[in-house]
Amino acid sequence: MPLDSARGKPVGLYTCGPTVYDYATIGNFRTYTSADILVRALKYSGYKVKYIMNLTDVGHLTGDNLGDADIGEDRLEKAAKKERKTAWDIAKFYTKAFFVDFEKLNLEKPEKFVKATDHINEQVDLVKRLEGKGLTYRTSDGIYFDTIAFEEKTGKKYSELSTLARIKEGAREEANPEKRNPRDFALWKFSPKGVKRDMEWESPWAPPGARGKVMGFPGWHVECSAMSMKYLGETFDIHVGGEDLRSTHHPNEIAQSEGATGKKFVNYWIHGAFLKVDGGRMGKSLGNAYRIYDLEKRGYDALDLRYFYLSGKYNEPLNFTWESLKASQVALAKLRSLITVHRSQSTRTTISEYRNRFLQAINDDLNTPQALAVLWEMLKSSIPSSDKYDLALSFDEVLGLELSKSPKKVEIPEEIKKLIAKRSILRKEGKFEEADEIRKQIERKGFNTQDEKISR
Ligand SMILES: [Zn+2]
Ligand SMILES: [Zn+2]
C-alpha cells in the first residue's frame, strides 16, 4: 500500500471505536482486530504508526439504526435510565469492559483512546468554523450541516461520498421536517425543553426565540472529525471503521472536515465487513450478538476468536458458527503444538522465501487467510526446525495469536469420536471410499484424523 508518509514519519491511523452504552460484540471486535492487523502489518513493514481510537460516549442516537442518526434517544442516556445509573457511570462501566476484551484479543493499545466528552471544546470550535464558512443552519432542535451549501461552495458532490440514499429508503417519514435536505445532519443538538440530561454543555447556540442558557450536546459525527484532526492533523493517512459507517457517518466526517479545512481529510478508508452469525444477520434482538464472555462460557479463548477472524479477509463477510469457532480453536492449538516442537532448537537464522511470501500476503490488502496458509505450509516444510520457530514467532508479530504459548487441550466432541470410530470400522472392512467421505466430514469440522496430539 503506497502511503503519503515517507518511511520514518509516522502513519496516522484513526479507528472509529465503540459507543460505550453496552458490551461490544464479536461483530464490533472483528473491525478492531482488522485495524490491529493493519497496525501490526505497517510496523512489521518498517513504518512508525500513530494510532488513535475514539470512544463514543455521547450523541450517538438510536435513530442511526433506521438510517437517520439525528433522531431518537441518546444511547448512553437511554441505557442510564434502563440501568438506573447516570450516563457517566454507563460510559465508565462499558469502557472498562471494552478494555478487558480488547486486551484478551491481544489488540495493541492505540497511542491514545480519545473520548467525545473530553473534546467538547474541539467539537464546538469545529462547528463554529463551519458556521463561519456558511455551511450550517439552525433549527428548533440544533445546528445542522448544510450539504447543499457544501456542494455549492466546495464543488464537491456529497452524493458521491455517501450511499445514504439507498440505505434510507423506508426510513424517511421519520426524518426531521426542519431539515432542508434529508442528507443534512446535526452538528450540535439542544437538550430538549424541560429535560435535564446527564451529559450536556453550554454552547454559543440556542434555539430561535429561546431565553437564557440552553444546554446541548454534540452530534455524533462531529467528534470523529474534531478528534482525528486534533491528533493526526487535518490530512492523515488511514481511517478505519465498520462497513455500517460507510453510508452516513464517514461521508459526514469527510464533508464536515473538508468543508472546514478545504483540504483532503483522509488518504485511505478501510471498511471492515460484517460478521454474520449462522449465515444470517447478527443482532441484539436476535439473541446472537455474542460477546467474548459468551465464548468463554463455552470453553473458548478470545484468541480462538482471533484465529477465526484471521481466517477471512477483513473486507469480505465472515460467517460465525460455533462449529467454525471450534475449528479455529483446534487449528490454533495445533499451530502452538507444532511450534513447541521447534522451540528447543531455536537459532537466529531465517528463511527469506517464507518471510517474503508472508509479507506478500499481508501487503496484498491484509490477506490474512493467505498469511495463515503460508504459516501452515512453512511449518510442514523441510526447513530446519529452528528456522520454523523463528519464522513463526516473527509472523506472530502481525498475527498476534501468542503462538509460543503452550497449546490448550481441545476436547474432542462426542460426534467427532463417533465419526472416527465409524471410519476405522469402514477401513477395516476395506470400504475405503466411504471411509474417505467420513474423513472429509471430520476435517470439515476442523479436526484432523491423523492428529493424535490434539485428540488426547
Ligand atoms: Zn470514522
Ligand atoms: Zn467515528
Side-chain angles (χ1 to χ4, degrees):
M1 184 189 330
L3 287 167
D4 270 8
S5 311
R7 273 176 192 249
K9 189 189 158 207
V11 173
L13 194 151
Y14 183 91
T15 294
C16 272
T19 303
V20 287
Y21 72 109
D22 199 348
Y23 295 106
T25 67
I26 60 173
N28 304 132
F29 274 114
R30 186 184 178 199
T31 301
Y32 310 137
T33 303
S34 299
D36 181 70
I37 298 282
L38 177 57
V39 169
R40 287 166 177 268
L42 286 165
K43 287 184 179 168
Y44 196 73
S45 303
Y47 292 96
K48 281 200 177 72
V49 183
K50 183 163 185 182
Y51 181 24
I52 302 289
M53 185 188 279
N54 75 309
L55 301 166
T56 298
D57 53 2
V58 69
H60 190 181
L61 308 187
T62 51
D64 177 39
N65 290 345
L66 301 168
D68 188 342
D70 299 326
I71 57 169
E73 275 181 273
D74 188 312
R75 284 174 158 83
L76 272 285
E77 303 265 342
K78 187 181 172 188
K81 265 183 238 153
K82 200 173 115 197
E83 298 192 26
R84 295 168 192 279
K85 295 177 181 170
T86 68
W88 295 102
D89 290 335
I90 292 288
K92 205 165 158 193
F93 180 85
Y94 289 109
T95 298
K96 205 170 148 202
F98 178 73
F99 288 160
V100 169
D101 286 350
F102 200 89
E103 210 160 281
K104 283 181 178 168
L105 275 167
N106 201 18
L107 301 176
E108 284 197 11
K109 266 225 170 82
E111 185 171 310
K112 247 190 170 72
F113 281 108
V114 293
K115 291 182 198 169
T117 52
D118 284 342
H119 296 80
I120 298 299
N121 289 339
E122 286 84 349
Q123 295 176 74
V124 167
D125 285 345
L126 182 60
V127 179
K128 281 206 296 217
R129 221 167 142 184
L130 290 168
E131 194 176 35
K133 297 212 164 182
L135 295 173
T136 66
Y137 61 89
R138 185 176 65 158
T139 73
S140 60
D141 79 343
I143 305 295
Y144 281 78
F145 184 85
D146 187 339
T147 53
I148 303 270
F150 168 75
E151 291 189 337
E152 282 168 5
K153 284 177 204 262
T154 63
K156 287 179 182 149
K157 277 255 166 282
Y158 178 84
S159 54
E160 279 168 14
L161 306 175
S162 173
T163 52
L164 182 64
R166 251 185 316 165
I167 302 229
K168 276 187 76 171
E169 295 297 336
R172 276 236 170 101
E173 66 261 305
E174 308 226 22
N176 178 350
E178 288 179 78
K179 271 204 226 177
R180 294 182 188 166
N181 190 297
R183 306 173 308 181
D184 296 351
F185 54 91
L187 296 164
W188 186 264
K189 297 257 308 187
F190 304 125
S191 299
K193 223 175 174 181
V195 173
K196 169 93 185 74
R197 287 171 48 99
D198 289 335
M199 294 175 166
E200 54 182 12
W201 297 265
E202 282 181 43
S203 81
W205 307 286
R211 260 168 284 144
K213 256 189 287 177
V214 173
M215 305 297 274
F217 58 100
W220 171 38
H221 314 293
V222 75
E223 68 175 82
C224 286
S225 290
M227 297 192 292
S228 63
M229 291 198 290
K230 170 171 177 167
Y231 294 102
L232 301 173
E234 292 183 343
T235 301
F236 60 92
D237 279 315
I238 305 174
H239 194 125
V240 183
E243 196 171 56
D244 50 323
L245 304 182
R246 197 199 290 266
S247 67
T248 327
H249 185 58
H250 283 161
N252 292 353
E253 278 189 47
I254 297 170
Q256 69 201 357
S257 303
E258 301 193 353
T261 66
K263 296 179 196 159
K264 187 168 193 199
F265 177 42
V266 168
N267 291 323
Y268 297 94
W269 290 87
I270 310 272
H271 288 106
F274 286 121
L275 185 70
K276 292 183 180 170
V277 174
D278 296 324
R281 204 170 66 80
M282 179 173 85
K284 294 215 162 101
S285 56
L286 300 171
N288 63 8
Y290 302 122
R291 57 187 176 101
I292 306 269
Y293 172 74
D294 298 312
L295 274 51
E296 287 173 340
K297 265 194 316 200
R298 296 205 190 193
Y300 295 98
D301 194 276
L303 292 186
D304 300 333
L305 177 67
R306 185 173 171 112
Y307 187 97
F308 168 70
Y309 288 148
L310 268 48
S311 70
K313 268 203 72 189
Y314 75 93
N315 55 355
E316 289 167 10
L318 185 64
N319 185 31
F320 176 89
T321 62
W322 290 105
E323 229 169 52
S324 59
L325 186 63
K326 185 77 192 173
S328 296
Q329 184 184 46
V330 171
L332 179 56
K334 195 165 154 195
L335 265 183
R336 285 177 177 164
S337 68
L338 275 171
I339 285 159
T340 311
V341 175
H342 305 300
R343 187 194 312 257
S344 54
Q345 299 146 47
S346 169
T347 63
R348 290 275 87 205
T349 45
T350 54
I351 298 268
S352 57
E353 190 213 320
Y354 284 108
R355 189 185 286 281
N356 288 342
R357 284 178 50 203
F358 180 81
L359 264 174
Q360 238 170 39
I362 287 298
N363 289 333
D364 171 22
D365 197 16
L366 300 183
N367 194 336
T368 50
Q370 185 57 33
L372 284 176
V374 174
L375 171 61
W376 280 103
E377 196 192 316
M378 182 275 287
L379 287 171
K380 288 176 181 164
S381 75
S382 57
I383 65 169
S385 197
S386 53
D387 292 327
K388 288 183 182 176
Y389 186 72
D390 282 353
L391 272 175
L393 290 208
S394 164
F395 295 174
D396 203 33
E397 286 172 34
V398 178
L399 302 173
L401 292 167
E402 298 187 344
L403 291 175
S404 60
K405 252 188 164 174
S406 30
K408 207 165 72 174
K409 285 225 169 66
V410 177
E411 266 208 46
I412 306 285
E414 266 322 298
E415 174 199 15
I416 301 290
K417 283 184 194 159
K418 277 185 193 152
L419 286 171
I420 292 171
K422 198 167 160 193
R423 175 171 175 264
S424 84
I425 292 169
L426 287 168
R427 281 169 64 90
K428 273 183 204 136
E429 292 170 352
K431 295 177 183 164
F432 294 110
E433 227 163 273
E434 285 165 62
D436 210 42
E437 271 311 307
I438 303 282
R439 178 185 57 79
K440 283 183 198 155
Q441 270 187 48
I442 295 171
E443 285 178 0
R444 268 200 298 276
K445 293 181 190 296
F447 291 86
N448 190 324
T449 44
Q450 282 128 41
D451 192 31
E452 299 302 312
K453 243 173 235 122
I454 294 170
S455 53
R456 306 260 153 85

